[in-house]
Amino acid sequence: MSPVDSSHLFQRPRRLRRTETLRKMVRETILTVDDLIYPMFVMEGEKQKVEIPSMPGCYRYSLDLLIKEIAEVFELGINAVALFPVIPEDQKDDTGTESYNPKGLVQETVKAIKKAVPEIIVITDVALDPFTTHGHDGLVDENGTILNDPTVEVLVKMALSQAAAGTDFVAPSDMMDGRIGAIRKALDTEGYINVSILAYSAKYASAYYGPFRDALDSAPKFGDKKTYQMDAANSKEALKEVELDIAEGADIVMVKPALAYLDIVCQVKAATNLPVAAYNVSGEYAMIKAAAKNGWIDEKKVILETLTSMKRAGADLILTYFAKEVALMLL
Ligand code: PBG
């Protein structure tokens, strides 16, 4: 007699996996291009597109070429771009004053995008690291301590200058305490009631940001970011951060990085009715690219499986450097 008593095997889950048509009928999670936000790097100059060595397939674009690329990805169905500037060393200082220059690179880029492709949603980063000589996200005192409240004052100026340029979302990625509330209050006071806030609420001190720091030349010159970004071992703290950001006025909350933090995405989704974003960061991108280049994995399948896992965990939106590739795959 067979060791499996099939006469009582009433439930056979494999029945619903029999054909692709059946599998499609019962599929729970469908990744679409509407889920994706495309992070892009802008630099000064003209007619330049420079590949980032640790992020093959990602480029720093001069403004003219960035606009062309944005028009193209909008045609492919991508709804939103998240902008990050490459600031020349001679424009950096200790306090990041260039970050709120009304004619700065980010501000001019926002104006140009809004003129060329008015419908695409523009998300601008609010943090000082691309603008400071020391590479930290905040102001630093003589002992190397990152100062919270004085930093928030600068972040508010930065957010207001981005709003004046026409950004749709400001996205504070600095992890200072109280910055969401301070920015919301300032935006409302200045009449920018429709500028939204995408809050990097649970942003971890992660080794997965390495390639991004190469892209911007923004690695901290001393110490690390552990006094402001979160400890990888914590999850309750993420819920506390999310709760605070919601109370302070966030429109969308984010978990970053994504892949090693899917449990956090899942818990945050359960804790709020706001849309939840996850950031598929540079190191996650680089690992897939490197393995694919060696022929060790099937790149397209791994990309789709990875992004689908983020959506399954609860992400409504995914920031990913794969956005254009995925848009082309899903066409
Ligand atoms: C900095 C910032 C970082 C990223 C987005 N904004 C890096 C950091 O905190 O050092 C990382 C994005 C990525 O790795 O893809 N404010």
Side-chain angles (χ1 to χ4, degrees), residues 14-30:
R14 287 187 53 197
R15 278 189 204 112
L16 296 181
R17 296 182 206 135
R18 221 165 29 83
T19 70
E20 177 56 17
T21 313
L22 265 170
R23 290 191 292 272
K24 275 202 293 187
M25 282 173 66
V26 297
R27 190 157 289 150
E28 298 172 39
T29 308
I30 314 246

Side-chain angles (χ1 to χ4, degrees), residues 10-135:
F10 297 119
Q11 280 292 355
R12 286 184 181 269
R14 287 187 53 197
R15 278 189 204 112
L16 296 181
R17 296 182 206 135
R18 221 165 29 83
T19 70
E20 177 56 17
T21 313
L22 265 170
R23 290 191 292 272
K24 275 202 293 187
M25 282 173 66
V26 297
R27 190 157 289 150
E28 298 172 39
T29 308
I30 314 246
L31 184 74
T32 78
V33 67
D34 289 329
D35 305 324
L36 308 177
I37 295 172
Y38 196 15
M40 299 182 81
F41 302 106
V42 63
M43 64 179 179
E44 288 194 336
E46 262 182 305
K47 300 197 179 78
Q48 284 191 64
K49 172 180 166 178
V50 182
E51 192 168 35
I52 298 152
S54 50
M55 300 175 73
C58 284
Y59 301 83
R60 302 163 155 193
Y61 293 94
S62 58
L63 182 51
D64 51 343
L65 297 190
L66 182 88
I67 297 289
K68 275 176 85 174
E69 186 67 14
I70 289 181
E72 193 181 321
V73 300
F74 186 64
E75 280 300 308
L76 291 173
I78 291 173
N79 297 319
V81 291
L83 286 181
F84 296 98
V86 185
I87 302 298
E89 281 307 316
D90 63 1
Q91 289 176 22
K92 297 185 184 182
D93 59 24
D94 281 356
T95 56
T97 47
E98 180 61 19
S99 66
Y100 51 89
N101 176 356
K103 293 201 162 67
L105 180 59
V106 171
Q107 292 79 359
E108 291 301 321
T109 302
V110 173
K111 288 180 224 166
I113 298 171
K114 279 289 149 189
K115 206 165 155 202
V117 194
E119 282 172 84
I120 200 159
I121 298 298
V122 177
I123 301 172
T124 43
D125 190 61
V126 179
L128 295 183
D129 51 321
F131 302 93
T132 51
T133 36
H134 46 73

Side-chain angles (χ1 to χ4, degrees), residues 118-153:
E119 282 172 84
I120 200 159
I121 298 298
V122 177
I123 301 172
T124 43
D125 190 61
V126 179
L128 295 183
D129 51 321
F131 302 93
T132 51
T133 36
H134 46 73
H136 277 288
D137 294 34
L139 307 185
V140 182
D141 75 5
E142 59 285 359
N143 305 317
T145 303
I146 313 299
L147 303 168
N148 195 87
D149 300 9
T151 298
V152 172
E153 278 180 42

Side-chain angles (χ1 to χ4, degrees), residues 84 125 127 129 137 173 200 203 208-209 212-213 225 229 256 279 281-283 321:
F84 296 98
D125 190 61
D129 51 321
D137 294 34
S173 68
Y200 284 69
K203 177 171 176 180
Y208 282 96
Y209 306 150
F212 175 95
R213 294 177 188 171
K225 299 193 175 186
Q229 299 179 350
K256 176 184 176 185
Y279 200 142
V281 299
S282 58
Y321 303 100

